[in-house]
Structures are given as structure tokens and as C-alpha cells.
């Protein structure tokens, strides 16, 4: 089996961790999660973004760098976030005036240094496929409410409504400009793979089909659905 790295991307509540878990089980590989439940900085950011944006983003950047450094030399793995999307949220918050110009300069320098270090870690290895879970704004809000983290709720912080809209918009722009590896988009509204086992099976088979085209991955179960890509939610 060829060495394979899958990156999972998407907005808050898209189901990244759940899909990472499913794929890692199919691949019999190590998952790399970005656990937010024990992240003490994240609630601080939501309570005062002007004060804690830089601290939070450096925290995330460091975690994502270490995950990539650990994952690259290994055989098969799935990451539910990656360093390649880290600047998306940082620069969104920078555009909202939540960090200083000097902090932007230092962040960009740190990110560039880390990316160069990753090239030295595994110079001939890059991610094989980015899987972007596309969800609508309304579905994102529903899932944020459902998972019940107090600091994420619009009901307690109405300003988050506009912020979440910007997050959706920035992810679309980021995906268009992403060129590190091949990419596919999964229809997260249509296929609620977290709650519906049938939807989960369809989504897993979508990814199987794409990775097998690349000859980079052999899943334990090689069954496919034969419907057209648009019908299956790959755009």
C-alpha cells in the first residue's frame, strides 16, 4: 500500500472529526484530531477576540505544525485540520482589526518558517487529497447549536452571526486557491454522514473512488456507488 495522507477541511460543525474517524478506520491508519474540548484558549477568544486572537492562532498553528510533522513520515493518516488552512482564520480576524500589523508580520513569518521546516521533514511527501466538507450557512448554525458549546452560540453572542458568515465565505475563497494537492468537495448538507449510516457509506465511497483513481490508497472495502459525481455531491 502506498503511503497516503488525507486532509479534511470545513467550517465549524461540518463534521471534520467524525469523517476523520470514519476514514482512519477504513484505512486502518492513525487519525490526527484537533481537540477543542480541552482547549483553554478557545473560550477566551470567543469572550474577547480583540485580546486573544493572536494567542489562539499561534496555539492552533503550533498544534497543526506538530501534527503535520508527525504525520508526514508515517504511512497512512488522516488529519481533521491542517496547517495549510491556518492562515485563513488568522487573516480573517486580521481584516476585522483584531490583531496588529506587527502581529500579522510575526504570524506570517512563523507560518513560513514552519512550512519550510515541513519540507525538510519529508521533502518528497505531500498530502495526497484534500476533502472539503461543504455545508450551508443554515446547516452550520444548526450543528453549532446542536453540539451545545456555550461560547459558540449566537443566542448568547449575536455578533457571531456575521463572523460565521465570513468564515463560510473565506473557506470558499481558500478552497479555490488551494493548490497543495488534489481536492474534492463533499456535499455536507445532502449527506449527513454523522447521523445517517447510509450517507456515511456514500461519502466514504466517494473518497474511495477519488483516491483509487490516484492509485494512492486501497481501502479495506473496495465497493463503489455508480451514480454520477454531481448526483453524489462531488463538485
Amino acid at each position: 500500500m502506498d503511503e497516503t495522507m488525507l486532509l479534511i477541511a470545513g467550517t465549524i460543525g461540518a463534521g471534520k472529526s467524525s469523517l476523520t474517524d470514519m476514514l482512519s478506520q477504513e484505512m486502518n491508519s492513525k487519525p490526527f484530531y484537533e481537540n477543542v474540548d480541552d482547549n483553554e484558549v478557545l473560550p477566551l477568544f470567543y469572550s474577547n477576540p480583540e485580546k486573544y486572537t493572536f494567542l489562539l492562532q499561534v496555539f492552533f498553528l503550533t498544534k497543526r505544525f506538530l501534527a503535520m510533522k508527525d504525520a508526514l513520515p508515517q504511512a497512512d493518516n488522516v488529519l481533521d485540520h491542517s496547517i495549510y488552512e491556518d492562515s485563513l482564520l488568522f487573516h480573517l480576524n486580521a481584516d476585522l482589526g483584531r490583531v496588529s500589523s506587527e502581529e500579522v508580520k510575526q504570524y506570517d513569518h512563523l507560518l513560513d518558517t514552519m512550512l519550510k521546516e515541513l519540507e525538510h521533514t519529508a521533502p518528497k511527501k505531500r498530502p495526497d487529497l484534500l476533502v472539503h466538507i461543504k455545508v450551508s450557512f443554515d446547516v452550520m448554525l444548526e450543528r453549532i447549536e446542536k453540539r451545545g458549546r456555550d461560547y459558540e452560540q449566537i443566542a448568547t453572542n449575536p455578533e457571531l452571526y456575521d463572523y460565521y458568515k465570513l468564515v463560510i465565505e473565506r473557506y470558499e475563497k481558500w478552497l479555490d486557491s488551494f493548490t497543495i494537492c488534489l481536492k474534492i468537495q463533499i456535499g455536507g448538507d445532502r449527506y449527513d454522514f454523522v447521523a445517517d449510516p447510509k450517507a456515511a457509506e456514500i461519502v466514504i465511497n466517494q473518497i474511495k473512488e477519488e483516491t483509487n483513481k490516484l492509485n494512492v490508497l486501497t481501502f479495506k472495502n473496495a465497493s463503489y456507488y455508480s451514480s454520477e459525481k454531481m448526483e453524489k455531491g462531488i463538485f
Side-chain angles (χ1 to χ4, degrees), residues 1 33 49 55-56 63 65-66 71 117 122 138 140 153 173 178 230 233:
M1 182 186 295
Y33 301 106
L55 176 62
L56 177 67
K63 292 286 187 181
F65 168 72
L66 293 174
E117 174 64 23
D138 288 342
M140 182 180 77
Q153 302 305 313
K173 292 178 181 178
F178 180 83
M230 286 296 292

Side-chain angles (χ1 to χ4, degrees), residues 18-26 186 193 197-212 219 221 223-225:
S18 296
L19 184 57
T20 296
D21 181 56
M22 296 172 190
L23 288 169
S24 65
Q25 290 185 44
E26 288 284 334
I186 300 297
F193 52 83
K198 178 68 172 180
E201 184 179 2
I202 293 173
V203 167
I204 292 295
N205 282 322
Q206 291 176 18
I207 300 167
K208 287 181 183 180
E209 182 176 338
E210 295 303 309
T211 52
N212 277 280
F219 283 87
N221 177 359
S223 64
Y224 302 123
Y225 278 77

Side-chain angles (χ1 to χ4, degrees), residues 46-114:
Y46 277 95
S47 68
N48 191 340
E50 285 74 19
K51 182 176 181 179
Y52 291 108
T53 288
F54 185 73
L55 176 62
L56 177 67
Q57 291 301 143
V58 169
F59 174 89
F60 276 138
L61 180 59
T62 304
K63 292 286 187 181
R64 291 165 184 169
F65 168 72
L66 293 174
M68 286 293 296
K69 193 168 184 178
D70 189 12
L72 279 169
Q74 297 188 30
D76 301 306
N77 42 60
V78 190
L79 294 87
D80 75 346
H81 274 89
S82 79
I83 194 171
Y84 303 110
E85 66 190 276
D86 193 87
S87 65
L88 180 162
L89 291 177
F90 178 84
H91 282 281
L92 166 57
N93 281 283
D95 291 344
L96 293 172
R98 295 172 172 177
V99 293
S100 68
S101 59
E102 182 59 31
E103 286 173 326
V104 172
K105 179 180 177 181
Q106 293 302 320
Y107 172 89
D108 287 341
H109 176 70
L110 181 59
L111 175 59
D112 184 60
T113 301
M114 288 179 171

